[in-house]
């Protein structure tokens, strides 16, 4: 009797393998770029459409393939890079598993053109879902071009699983940057949806890092260098004072291959110990060279994790090399962790003379007057007493108008009086709010008391204001006497360009946007000059890492990001006036109860709650 086990047909096996190798468009980018590097190209172009969902094309000027290889390269386990098992322990190429092209061809439409230098003619091959549809000779330039179209066309589940274009493109960019950083001597170009984001000439390590992350990166880098039999280390770490909250710029390359290593990351973190503020992450670009036989790259299909023979020694060498550099370049002593970050001046402003602050005080303001109060302090936004959402009064007055009741709060008060506060509240003699621990604002209300989180409340106020500015009514700008100039990488500039008109609605005035600088001559009214660089950096970062589930649109992300950056933080003292304004502005909001990040902005304690506590 025959058994039930069968060998899977090749195209099925390839599709299964593809599941491991190709998770998303960025995986195709990685494989094709690495193949081009392995083919000894000196110039590599990456062309992507819709974050690679419709097209990933890599054009190289490398060795090319002859007619036989051009067909064979799409077979599973077809590789020119190793011949025998021992070769696995002496790898000098990125690829060696011979799986990538077979996998990609199983789940996409692939068009390949390739020609070797010494041949007259090249080969043109089209494969769709592992089926060869065209193979012909053609007049071609030296090198190879792979165009991968309609990824996952035959696996709708995988296609639907892909994230938004922003998220997928972020992954593509990560892969591009990793390969470009690993091979600074090769020139790389990246074109997305028709616009050129990077055109990186062949250069050295430092120039490559700066070309990718922008001119401002240069002054942040501290060189690291160490030469032992076990390992050679070259590269840079970022100065601790430039460390940021996100882990964006952390790169290890082992024998020119980008790898992830939590263990070695830990070595760096421990070298930075005592030099970083809580939660900050240093940047690093470290190139490690080890003898190929001391590592095993073959433990993961995407080859981003590797095993070292002597991890402990590497850890120690790396840690001391980084520590040494930080010490040698005098980075450590100038740091002072006790200082208040709020007082820091971004370096662009260091040499400017200070402006005298102007304080806007509205002497005639009477919070208890029944008629319209005068304008509120501008720093807390757009509160006006006659705005239709001004439901703050109802909280105090009791339920005179049910329609203005705040969310789900019900107030026990039955009396309807014109006074905002309990009987004792006469004119301006009573303080309506108290700030405690520079963090919460406490206030008596009819039903008991209210405790507001000043940071979240202000986020809500700013968020609604920015959204209104973006969608309905353009905000006014404050004109700057001296335009500000900031440096960004070309990719960051691209993000900025996409947001330009939205940001202009919030009050920004952009004078010039070049490939890596932006000039700003006007700011949103609420924004201090010293906030701008942080606000823009956080904004760009948030847009790049936007997660579609948490934001409805770019406008929403921008409003959220700016409100978070600009809201008063815990630890900021607020005057009575400012407290009142914040409270008033919050209750003039459409959704006063939650912050833009869905956290409660205030809590209430009823008199009953308090009575119960005292009854104990
Ligand atoms: P691997 O890179 O692991 O060998 P791939 O499936 O990525 O496997 O590629 C199969 C083979 O096709 C490679 O070994 C190489 O010989 C050839 N090849 C792939 N891409 C190129 C290219 N851009 N230029 C020249 N040869 C290539
Ligand atoms: Mg390969």
């Amino acid at each position: 009797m025959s058994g039930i086990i069968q060998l899977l047909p090749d195209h099925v096996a390839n599709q299964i393998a593809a599941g491991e190798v190709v998770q998303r468009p960025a995986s195709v980018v990685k494989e094709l770029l690495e193949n081009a590097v392995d083919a000894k190209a000196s110039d590599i172009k990456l062309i992507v459409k819709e974050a690679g969902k419709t097209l990933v094309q890599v054009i190289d000027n490398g060795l090319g393939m002859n007619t036989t290889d051009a067909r064979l390269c799409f077979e599973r386990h077809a590789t020119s890079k190793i011949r025998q098992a021992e070769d696995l322990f002496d790898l000098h190429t990125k690829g060696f598993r011979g799986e990538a092209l077979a996998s990609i061809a199983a789940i996409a439409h692939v068009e390949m053109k390739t020609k070797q230098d010494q041949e007259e003619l090249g080969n043109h091959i089209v494969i769709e879902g592992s089926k060869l549809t065209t193979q012909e000779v053609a007049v071609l330039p030296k090198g190879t071009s792979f165009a991968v179209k309609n990824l996952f066309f035959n696996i709708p589940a995988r296609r639907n699983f892909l994230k938004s274009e922003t998220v997928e493109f972020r992954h593509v960019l990560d892969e591009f940057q990793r390969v470009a950083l690993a091979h600074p001597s090769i020139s790389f170009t990246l074109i997305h949806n028709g616009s050129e984001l990077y055109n990186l000439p062949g250069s050295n390590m430092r120039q490559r890092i700066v070309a990718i992350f922008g001119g401002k990166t240069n002054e942040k880098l501290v060189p690291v260098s160490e030469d032992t039999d076990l390992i050679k280390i070259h590269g840079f770490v970022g100065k601790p004072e430039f460390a940021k909250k996100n882990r964006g710029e952390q790169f290890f390359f082992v024998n020119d291959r980008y790898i992830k290593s939590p263990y070695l990351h830990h070595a760096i973190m421990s070298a930075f110990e005592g030099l970083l503020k809580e939660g900050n992450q240093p940047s690093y670009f470290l190139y490690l060279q080890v003898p190929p036989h001391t590592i095993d790259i073959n433990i993961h299909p995407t080859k981003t994790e590797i095993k070292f023979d002597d991890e402990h020694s590497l850890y120690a060498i790396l840690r001391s090399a980084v520590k040494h550099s930080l010490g040698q370049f005098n980075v450590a002593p100038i740091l002072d962790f006790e200082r208040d970050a709020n007082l820091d001046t971004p370096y662009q402003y260091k040499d400017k003379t200070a402006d005298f602050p102007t304080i806007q005080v509205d002497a005639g303001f009477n919070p208890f007057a029944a008629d319209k109060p005068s304008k509120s302090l501008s720093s807390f936004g757009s509160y006006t007493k006659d705005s239709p959402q001004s439901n703050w009064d109802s909280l105090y007055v009791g339920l005179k108008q049910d329609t203005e009741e705040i969310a789900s709060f019900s107030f026990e008060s039955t009396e309807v009086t014109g006074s905002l506060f309990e009987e004792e509240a006469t004119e301006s003699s009573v303080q309506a709010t108290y700030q405690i621990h520079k963090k919460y604002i406490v206030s008596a209300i009819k039903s008991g008391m209210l405790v507001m989180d000043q940071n979240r409340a202000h986020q809500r106020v700013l968020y609604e204001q920015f959204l209104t500015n973006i969608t309905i009514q353009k905000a006014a700008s404050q004109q700057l006497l001296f335009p500000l100039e900031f440096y960004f990488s070309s990719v960051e500039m691209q993000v900025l360009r996409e947001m330009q008109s939205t940001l202009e609605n919030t009050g920004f005035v952009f004078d010039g946007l070049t490939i890596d600088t932006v000039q700003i001559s006007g700011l949103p009214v609420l924004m201090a000059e010293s906030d701008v660089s942080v606000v823009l950096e956080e904004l760009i970062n948030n847009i790049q890492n936007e997660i579609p589930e948490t934001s409805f649109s770019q406008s929403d992300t921008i409003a959220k990001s700016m409100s978070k950056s600009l809201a008063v933080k815990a630890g900021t003292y607020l005057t009575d006036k400012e407290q009142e304004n914040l409270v008033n502005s919050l209750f003039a909001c459409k959704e006063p109860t939650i912050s833009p990040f869905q956290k409660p902005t205030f809590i209430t304690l009823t008199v009953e709650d308090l009575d119960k506590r005292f009854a104990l």
Side-chain angles (χ1 to χ4, degrees), residues 31 35 38 81 95 100 303:
E31 295 298 336
N35 279 346
D38 283 345
K81 299 170 193 175
K303 296 167 287 195

Side-chain angles (χ1 to χ4, degrees), residues 22 30 39 129 136 147 190 211 224 262 295 315 368 374 402 414 444 459 486 490 494 527 549 559 608:
V22 186
K30 171 179 192 288
E136 60 196 15
L190 168 58
V224 178
I295 50 172
Y315 183 102
F368 309 112
S374 44
D402 288 347
T414 47
Q459 282 181 3
F486 299 99
S490 51
Q494 177 73 10
M527 198 176 289
E549 290 79 24
E608 268 169 31

